[in-house]
Each structure stands twice: as C-alpha cells, then as structure tokens.
Amino acid sequence: MQPHELTLAAAATEIRERRLSPVELVDSVLERIDRVEPHVEAYVTVTAEQARGTAREAEHEIARGGRRGPLHGIPAGLKDLIDVAGIPTTASSRVRADHRATADSTVTARLRAAGAVLVGKTHTHEFAYGLTTPQTGNAWDGGRVAGGSSGGSAVAVATGAATFALGTDTGGSIRVPAALNGVVGLKPTYGLVPRHGVTSLSWSLDHVGPITRTVEDAALVLATLAGHDPRDPASLDTPAVDYRPERDPDLTGVRVGVPSNYYFDHVDPEVAAAVHRAIAQLEALGTRLTEIDIPMPRYIQATQWGLMVPEATAFHARTLRTVPELYQTDVRILLEAGELMGAGDYLRAQRARTLMRGAWARVLDEVDVIVAPTVPMTAVRAGQETVTWPDGTVESVSDAYVRLSSPANITGVPALSVPVGHDTAGMPIGMQLLGQPFSERTLLQVGHAYERTQPARALAPVA
C-alpha cells in the first residue's frame, strides 16, 4: 500500500509510530496529484513546494517529540473559497482572477496550528453556486459530474490526491459530491465551525466541513475545526467535544427515524435499495427503527431558493453591476434573478424557515437519527440537464441533487453522508444521517458503526 492510499487515521498512526514520515506521505500525495489531475482536474492550484517545506518542518518537529496531534503532517486540500494567506482565492471564477488572500481564514489557521499540510486549492462550481462543478470529472467516471459545489475536494479525496479536504455546504455542497464520489462528507451544525475568511454564497445557509475517506477521519478533522470565533457573527460558543467515535460503538436502543415521505419520493430504485439495505444493517446493530413524517415538504424547495438567491445576489451586487461578463452564464442568470425577488419573498422564506425549524425539532425529539438517501440518483453524465422520473415528472439535475440535502441547511441541523455501495454502472451511492443540533458525535458513532460492517473502501480507479 502506498502512503497516499492511507486514511487520515491510519496515516496519523503510522506517523506517530515513526513508520512513516510526513515527507514520505506528502511526496506520495503530490505524485498522486500529478498522476490523476490530468484526468479529473480537481485542483485550481497545487502548492507543491510549500507543502514539501511544511512537511519537512513537521518531520523535524515530530522527531523532537513535538507531535501536535492526529493532523500533524497530513496533506489537505482546501476548497477555493477558503482563504490561505498569500495564495489566490479564485472561487473558480474570472471575477476573482486577481484576488490574493492577505490572511488565513479561521479554519486554515486551525489546520496550520494542528500541523496539517496544505497541498492545494480545489475547484468549486463558480462561487459555489451550483451542484455539478463542471470543470472537474467524477472520480469513478470522468464523463460524469463530480457533484458540487465542493466537487474538487471530494474528487481529490476519492482519488488519493488529498488525505482529507475541506468543503462548504449551502444546500448540500459537501454531501452531494461526497455521495457521488464515494467518500464521507459532514455538514456540521450551523455555527459550529467558523466561516471567517470563507467566501460566502448565502450567509444564513453556509457551512464549512470536512470531506474524508472514513467517518473516523471526519471526526478527527471536525475536532480541529469546531469552536467559537467572534469574527463570524453566526459562530456559537459551545463546549469542546471528543468527536472521535468509539472503536466498536454500541448502537443498542438508538432511535433511527425512517422517513415515510419526501426522502424516498422520486429516488432511483438502486439508490433506494442500497439505503434500505444500510438501514437494515443498522437495525441488525441494535437500533430501533421508527417511521417518521418529514414536516412541511412542499415548502422545502421554495424556502431554500427564497433564502439563497437574494442573499447570493446581495453578496455579488457590486461585481454583478461592474463586470457581469466575467461570470459564467448559469451563475450570472441566477444572480440576476435574485434582483427580481422582493423583500416580501425573502421575509416569507425566513418565516417558513422558522416554522420548519420548530417542526423538525419536534420530529428529532422522537428519534436520535434520521436516515435517508443523500441524493436521489448517482452521478449523471456531464451536460445532462434534466432527469425524468417513472411517473413522467421532469426535474432539473440541480434541483434533484439539492432536494434531499437542503432541509439540513434550512434548519441548521448536522448531516453526514456515508457511502453505502455502488449502482450497476459502478457509481457510488450515499446515505445521509441527520440529527438534532450539535449531535455530531451521535451521527459519527452511527456512521462509524455502519462503516465497520462493510469492506474497506478502495480509492477510485481513476488512473
């Protein structure tokens, strides 16, 4: 096994036991980037020399007994909305062609303090305003979409071109590409991870979180990222938590809610079957299954768009007027549409969110975890714009991919996507776990327990 094939937890153990050096690990990941990048285009920028220098520093520090923790010497990719001092933050847009960050974002600073090694900035759908990341190919089939908007981060992890990565999630942008590329994606509770120094799409919906090979890896990264920062007005001051799941979690009596509506409507049969098999596995591990009704389903799409569209347009107001030609057509149209939405529409969306949060809280009082598909279908072919369901309903690909993930953004609850197999075309399928605010440890325990029953997942065979 090559070092780039190791999970974060395994690499951390090898480094701690002095069987692997950070330099060896970083060199292996950089070589992997060189090999797979022509096929997938996950990275905007690769910081190879800087990464090698940081790895040498980590090696010397660890040799002197100064290991900082499990992320020390571990290679990471950061979505190119996240500021890294001295490196461009392009948001994968010509609008940001000349932008260079002058300071680290909070999450970058915390990763540096933990000893992580930045190997590059990963592609996003322009300004995170989309669900496909068109410049990046799926890790399992380059002719299919990577998912978005954190597509570059998910593909980098799935191919071994990063040991872990960070993404952002406004309507599913961590979980969607994680599901479509067969990796783990965690959207934390709103306010748990600070967003200072991260380019916004929609202030009231944005989250930052990890994309990793395993659930345990996600827990290790979350422990570094979480914590209050007053520079983010939404950041919450919460007690420190040990998120790392138990080696052999006991799920006896854990209440698992299985939706009777919404989450299995207009879902590909292979996706539904894989998720139901995973639910049966959770029941075999001792959980108690309970059928639940998802509240206010008819308002979910309108509320998501009613919040996101005007907030995004407000953020881009200046450049939309001065350099509209620099935006990609799909993003420019969405931003211009936001100018047509009135204050009343936005306020009604805010009111609907308040009602939805209350209704979801009542459901989550009855169960510990809600289990559902992450996305209704696996990765579609690049350029496919719609999907037609068996009843004749036609849905845009973007609407389909955001449909099952957006409730967690509207309500702010944590959500974890875990791989649960592949369809007959070989494309990954994801299962989503949702819970009460700040119940990340429970989600991680359940996800880890399921993961332990499955064979170890290999990297995508991209090259």
Side-chain angles (χ1 to χ4, degrees):
M1 176 178 284
Q2 298 300 310
H4 70 261
E5 299 178 80
L6 295 169
T7 67
L8 192 165
T13 298
E14 293 296 298
I15 289 172
R16 185 187 68 228
E17 300 297 328
R18 308 288 180 88
R19 293 188 293 264
L20 176 69
S21 81
V23 171
E24 293 170 328
L25 177 57
V26 168
D27 280 344
S28 180
V29 168
L30 290 173
E31 289 168 7
R32 182 65 174 171
I33 291 173
D34 288 342
R35 183 176 178 187
V36 304
E37 189 61 11
H39 302 277
V40 297
E41 295 187 52
Y43 282 93
V44 181
T45 303
V46 177
T47 54
E49 291 313 306
Q50 180 181 354
R52 290 189 175 98
T54 305
R56 287 192 293 270
E57 292 171 7
E59 182 176 66
H60 295 324
E61 191 171 2
I62 292 168
R64 295 193 300 268
R67 182 174 177 271
R68 304 183 196 181
L71 301 193
H72 202 171
I74 304 294
L78 270 61
K79 184 177 182 177
D80 202 24
L81 299 181
I82 300 171
D83 281 352
V84 177
I87 296 175
T89 303
T90 72
S92 293
S93 175
R94 293 178 298 171
V95 176
R96 285 287 192 88
D98 298 323
H99 179 276
R100 187 174 294 270
T102 58
D104 283 342
S105 64
T106 301
V107 291
T108 300
R110 289 179 178 176
L111 291 179
R112 284 195 199 277
V117 180
L118 173 66
V119 293
K121 305 291 290 296
T122 58
H123 268 302
T124 172
H125 202 115
E126 185 177 29
F127 284 108
Y129 213 169
L131 275 295
T132 60
T133 316
Q135 59 277 69
T136 301
N138 189 282
W140 294 81
D141 180 345
R144 296 177 184 263
V145 298
S149 60
S150 306
S153 290
V155 169
V157 173
T159 59
T163 305
F164 75 94
L166 297 191
T168 65
D169 193 311
T170 304
S173 289
I174 287 172
R175 291 159 288 151
V176 171
L180 298 187
N181 290 280
V183 292
V184 173
L186 173 64
K187 182 203 79 66
T189 303
Y190 185 74
L192 182 63
V193 175
R195 302 164 304 174
H196 173 74
V198 179
T199 302
S200 178
L201 172 58
S202 173
W203 296 288
S204 70
L205 298 169
D206 292 341
H207 303 66
V208 178
I211 296 176
T212 58
R213 293 269 302 284
T214 69
V215 174
E216 181 182 14
D217 290 357
L220 294 173
V221 179
L222 180 63
T224 294
L225 302 180
H228 180 59
D229 182 350
R231 295 172 296 180
D232 177 358
S235 179
L236 299 173
D237 194 359
T238 58
V241 175
D242 180 6
Y243 293 104
R244 189 165 186 167
E246 298 167 10
R247 183 172 179 81
D248 190 12
D250 182 4
L251 300 190
T252 303
V254 173
R255 302 169 300 169
V256 171
V258 181
S260 61
N261 65 327
Y262 191 72
Y263 275 102
F264 288 95
D265 299 340
H266 288 154
V267 169
D268 181 89
E270 289 191 84
V271 171
V275 173
H276 279 301
R277 286 194 296 271
I279 291 171
Q281 184 62 56
L282 291 177
E283 185 176 28
L285 290 171
T287 67
R288 291 192 290 112
L289 304 186
T290 302
E291 190 174 275
I292 60 168
D293 290 328
I294 298 300
M296 301 177 64
R298 62 179 291 195
Y299 298 102
I300 290 171
Q301 184 183 49
T303 302
Q304 172 72 22
W305 288 102
L307 295 168
M308 183 175 65
V309 172
E311 290 183 359
T313 298
F315 182 84
H316 289 272
R318 183 182 63 82
T319 47
L320 187 60
R321 286 178 172 82
T322 57
V323 288
E325 71 281 0
L326 295 183
Y327 289 94
Q328 296 295 320
T329 301
D330 62 332
V331 171
R332 191 187 72 248
I333 289 171
L334 286 169
L335 292 172
E336 290 172 346
E339 294 187 318
L340 303 177
M341 294 184 68
D345 296 322
Y346 181 67
L347 292 173
R348 280 186 285 274
Q350 290 284 16
R351 184 184 182 198
R353 171 166 44 195
T354 299
L355 296 173
M356 205 175 295
R357 280 176 170 167
W360 272 69
R362 289 188 288 275
V363 172
L364 287 166
D365 279 341
E366 304 298 322
V367 297
D368 301 303
V369 178
I370 296 173
V371 182
T374 305
V375 288
M377 62 212 183
T378 57
V380 300
R381 290 285 174 189
Q384 181 177 331
E385 296 183 354
T386 62
V387 57
T388 302
W389 298 108
D391 64 359
T393 299
V394 178
E395 187 177 25
S396 76
V397 167
S398 290
D399 283 347
Y401 281 146
V402 77
R403 173 159 43 91
L404 305 186
S405 52
S406 61
N409 296 85
I410 296 168
T411 59
V413 302
L416 174 72
S417 182
V418 181
V420 291
H422 295 76
D423 67 9
T424 51
M427 302 309 295
I429 297 170
M431 174 177 71
Q432 187 174 196
L433 308 176
L434 306 96
Q436 295 180 358
F438 307 107
S439 66
E440 280 82 359
R441 179 165 170 76
T442 298
L443 300 187
L444 293 162
Q445 292 274 65
V446 173
H448 179 62
Y450 167 77
E451 201 172 58
R452 281 177 54 81
T453 69
Q454 305 301 303
R457 292 188 298 273
L459 294 175
V462 93

